[in-house]
């Protein structure tokens, strides 16, 4: 995903600062080859979207800042799946609803609901509608175009949402504020506070509330549900479990957090002492998105951490293309570490406040909580997850929370592979919780699963494997 950092090329800075004030979005640092590459990437990326028409993601006219979070603004009861690669038997709906940001401001957001062919049988299923998994996705990007509800394969395809729905669970999945719906009615942009677990937890909680309002007979007011997420979404679900302490949602049965980020800014600081390590290069490459996230939370910060080069790439290359992770990788290709962000930008007071607000873990939570980690994860390393689990567990024991936290580590597994490796654990865990099976006891437990022949398996760092979509003219591709 960020392997471009292995290439270094000196960047000629002539004219870079002039571009900051320019009205046209001509890039002074991305030359002809760079432009061609980025545009090729962007057109491929756009082709993976179900639609180029973003009218569903326009803020509905009945949006108001006065509305409480969880209000329903628009319902698409039946989504036309022609342009999606969603398995037969499943169907989909989309909703627009209100959420709240870290400051309590009401914002519009979107979500999809993926419906099973038939509901998983739970003991009291008749009265309780479909059992639900509230799915929190990992990083897709930070701009409007990066809404998984408009990705042909819903971004995580068979790794999570397809699988869960095929197993009889309704999947309620927010796009997160700033993704999909990108502007307020007045035209102001809605920034995406990337890797802010508590903000994405609000989006998840409010999607559940709004989806129940939209489909009250299918998703009943106290029907059983589990929150589950990966990567950014793992940070979101851990924060969601924390939010349940003071703002419980009826029917809550537990949380799964796979590869959750906990203290991202601290992780970035560590990376600068280890810049040659693969994990360090990943978070270092993420700096422009983090700078945009701090700006989303504190607008006055105004991208202060970007250098003239990264400012140029952000505003004159990535943003005009509304690019997500694939285009982002290409847009910053060959930008050296020195040119990616201003040295020590994360020491600014706004960034320190962001770091505190965005944190997941080390707080009281409502469980049971299952944390899944990959031993070889270079995106969210085990040694960032385990200390957060250990600290939370010390608090749990000292303060006698009577909650259950289980952490399972999968040997040799990287960031996306760990989802597959742990499937036999979490799928049963989720079904047991939905069926009302209690966890064995309160307290903390840690274990390691040692995989078979892990040196002979493929470690795909990226999420998009196997899944393809073809147009009707090319439907011969489906015969593979
Ligand atoms: C990036 O750098 C590599 C190695 O220096 C070079 O071959 C390539 O053309 C550069 N790519 C772009 C898009 O500038
Ligand atoms: C961009 O796409 C065109 C058409 O597929 C191809 O000919 C060209 O080589 C690509 N450019 C780069 C830089 O990859
Ligand atoms: C907004 O309008 C839609 C119909 O267009 C309606 O379903 C929804 O309840 C309305 N929401 C509010 C908060 O008024
Ligand atoms: C599918 O995509 C094509 C090409 O972008 C578009 O013309 C068509 O309206 C889309 N169909 C649906 C049902 O969204
Ligand atoms: C929260 O909102 C208040 C009032 O609008 C504003 O003064 C404050 O700066 C905001 N805080 C953040 C973190 O955006
Ligand atoms: C174009 O660049 C200007 C200044 O660099 C910036 O304010 C504007 O938002 C950019 N437009 C887009 C679409 O990003
Ligand atoms: C701890 O939680 C369990 C399960 O929720 C409950 O049955 C038990 O009564 C609780 N124990 C105490 C001491 O609160
Ligand atoms: C010099 C330095 O900061 N080294 C760090 C590199 O990363 C490891 C974790 O992978 C830390 O334990 C070291 O302190």
């Amino acid at each position: 995903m960020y392997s471009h950092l292995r290439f270094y090329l000196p960047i000629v800075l002539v004219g870079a600062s002039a571009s900051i004030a320019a009205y046209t979005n001509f890039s002074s640092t991305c030359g002809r080859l760079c432009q061609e590459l980025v545009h090729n990437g962007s057109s491929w990326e756009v082709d993976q979207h179900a639609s180029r028409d973003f009218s569903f993601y326009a803020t509905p006219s009945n949006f108001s800042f006065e509305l409480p979070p969880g209000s329903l603004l628009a319902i698409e009861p039946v989504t036309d799946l022609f342009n999606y690669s969603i398995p037969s038997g499943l169907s989909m709906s989309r909703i627009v609803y209100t959420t709240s940001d870290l400051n309590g401001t009401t914002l519009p957001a979107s979500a999809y609901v993926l419906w099973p062919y038939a509901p998983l049988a739970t003991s009291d299923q008749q009265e309780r509608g479909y059992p639900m998994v509230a799915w929190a996705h990992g990083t897709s990007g930070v701009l409007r175009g990066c809404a998984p509800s408009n990705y042909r394969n819903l971004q995580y395809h068979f790794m999570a949402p397809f699988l869960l729905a095929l197993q009889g669970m309704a999947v309620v999945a927010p796009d997160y504020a700033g993704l999909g719906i990108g502007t307020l009615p007045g035209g102001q942009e809605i920034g995406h506070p990337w890797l802010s677990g508590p903000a994405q937890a609000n989006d998840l909680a409010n999607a559940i509330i709004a989806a129940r309002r939209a489909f009250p007979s299918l998703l009943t007011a106290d029907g059983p549900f589990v929150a589950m997420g990966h990567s950014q979404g793992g940070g979101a679900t851990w924060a969601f479990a924390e939010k349940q302490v003071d703002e419980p949602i009826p029917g809550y049965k537990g949380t799964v957090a796979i590869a959750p980020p906990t203290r991202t800014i601290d992780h970035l600081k560590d990376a600068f002492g280890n810049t040659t390590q693969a994990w360090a290069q990943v978070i270092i490459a993420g700096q422009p998105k983090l700078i945009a996230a701090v700006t989303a939370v504190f607008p006055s910060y105004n991208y202060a951490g970007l250098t003239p080069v990264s400012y140029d790439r952000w505003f004159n290359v990535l943003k005009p293309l509304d690019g997500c992770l694939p285009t982002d990788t290409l847009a910053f290709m060959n930008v050296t570490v020195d040119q990616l962000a201003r040295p020590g930008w994360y020491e600014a007071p706004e960034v320190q406040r962001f770091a505190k607000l965005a944190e997941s873990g080390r707080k009281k939570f409502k469980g049971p909580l299952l944390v899944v980690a990959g031993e070889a994860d270079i995106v969210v390393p085990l040694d960032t997850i385990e200390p957060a689990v250990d600290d939370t567990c010390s608090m749990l024991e000292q303060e006698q929370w009577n909650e259950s936290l289980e952490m399972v580590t999968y040997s040799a597994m990287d960031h996306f592979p760990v989802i597959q490796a742990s499937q036999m654990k979490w799928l049963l865990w989720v079904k047991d919780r939905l069926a009302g099976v209690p966890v064995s006891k309160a307290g903390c437990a840690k274990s390691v699963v040692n995989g078979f022949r892990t040196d002979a398996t493929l470690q795909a760092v990226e999420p998009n494997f196997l899944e393809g979509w073809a147009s009707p003219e090319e439907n011969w591709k489906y015969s593979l």
Side-chain angles (χ1 to χ4, degrees), residues 238-246 360-365:
W238 194 333
F240 180 90
E242 293 165 351
K243 195 175 157 73
Q244 291 312 296
V245 173
D246 293 325
S360 298
R362 300 176 169 94
K363 286 171 222 161
K364 190 161 192 204
F365 68 90

Side-chain angles (χ1 to χ4, degrees), residues 376-439:
D377 191 331
I378 62 165
V379 181
V380 183
L382 177 59
D383 62 17
T384 65
I385 299 173
E386 198 154 17
V389 166
D390 290 345
D391 290 352
T392 308
C393 284
S394 308
M395 296 166 81
L396 182 154
E397 277 146 27
Q398 276 163 24
E399 298 171 21
Q400 301 184 322
W401 290 348
N402 193 29
E403 293 296 343
S404 148
L405 194 170
E406 179 181 4
M407 175 178 177
V408 188
T409 301
Y410 290 80
S411 77
M413 287 292 106
D414 205 336
H415 194 55
F416 286 96
V418 73
I419 306 174
Q420 277 71 246
S422 61
Q423 186 190 104
M424 63 179 111
K425 171 75 183 183
W426 58 254
L427 188 56
L428 264 178
W429 195 95
V430 166
K431 287 184 180 180
D432 279 349
R433 297 296 82 74
L434 291 173
V437 178
V439 289

Side-chain angles (χ1 to χ4, degrees), residues 68-302:
S71 304
L72 192 60
L73 298 174
I75 312 178
E76 178 180 74
V78 179
T79 303
D80 187 331
L81 296 182
F82 183 80
N83 285 331
Y84 288 85
S85 58
I86 288 176
S88 300
L90 308 185
S91 62
M92 187 170 133
S93 306
R94 290 187 294 183
I95 58 170
V96 177
Y97 65 102
T98 57
T99 186
S100 59
D101 70 8
L102 289 175
N103 205 9
T105 303
T106 296
L107 293 173
S110 53
Y112 69 79
V113 184
L114 193 62
W115 299 103
Y117 175 76
L120 174 72
T122 57
S123 50
D124 46 7
Q125 175 220 311
Q126 290 309 345
E127 314 83 67
R128 295 191 155 213
Y130 284 73
M132 182 207 299
V133 174
W135 166 249
H137 69 86
T139 303
S140 52
V142 304
L143 300 176
R144 181 192 73 139
C146 316
S149 68
N150 190 39
Y151 282 23
R152 294 190 193 281
N153 67 14
L154 303 179
Q155 189 198 16
Y156 274 74
H157 51 83
F158 286 98
M159 287 193 287
F162 293 179
L163 172 71
L164 290 163
L166 287 166
Q167 292 285 317
M169 291 156 266
V171 179
V172 172
D175 287 322
Y176 304 147
L179 311 182
I181 299 182
T183 48
L184 290 167
Q188 309 98 298
E189 279 182 25
I190 302 171
H192 171 55
W194 186 48
L195 300 187
S196 305
Q200 280 92 53
N202 288 348
D203 302 341
L204 189 65
N206 292 313
I208 295 167
I209 294 165
R212 283 176 167 174
R213 290 207 165 112
F215 307 103
S217 61
L218 302 171
L219 302 173
T220 56
D222 61 352
F225 79 93
V226 165
M228 172 173 162
H230 170 252
S231 197
Q232 169 166 235
T237 55
W238 194 333
F240 180 90
E242 293 165 351
K243 195 175 157 73
Q244 291 312 296
V245 173
D246 293 325
E247 298 166 71
I249 298 182
Y252 174 66
K253 299 293 179 194
T255 292
V256 181
I258 307 178
T262 50
R263 287 179 170 167
T264 303
I265 299 294
D266 285 356
H267 180 50
L268 175 65
K269 287 183 194 168
D270 289 343
F272 281 102
N274 286 271
T275 50
T276 56
Q277 302 283 311
W279 65 263
Q281 297 198 3
V282 170
I283 186 64
I284 284 171
Q287 289 175 102
K289 285 191 289 298
L290 274 177
I291 290 167
V294 175
T295 305
V297 179
F298 299 106
S300 63
Y301 178 69
N302 199 21

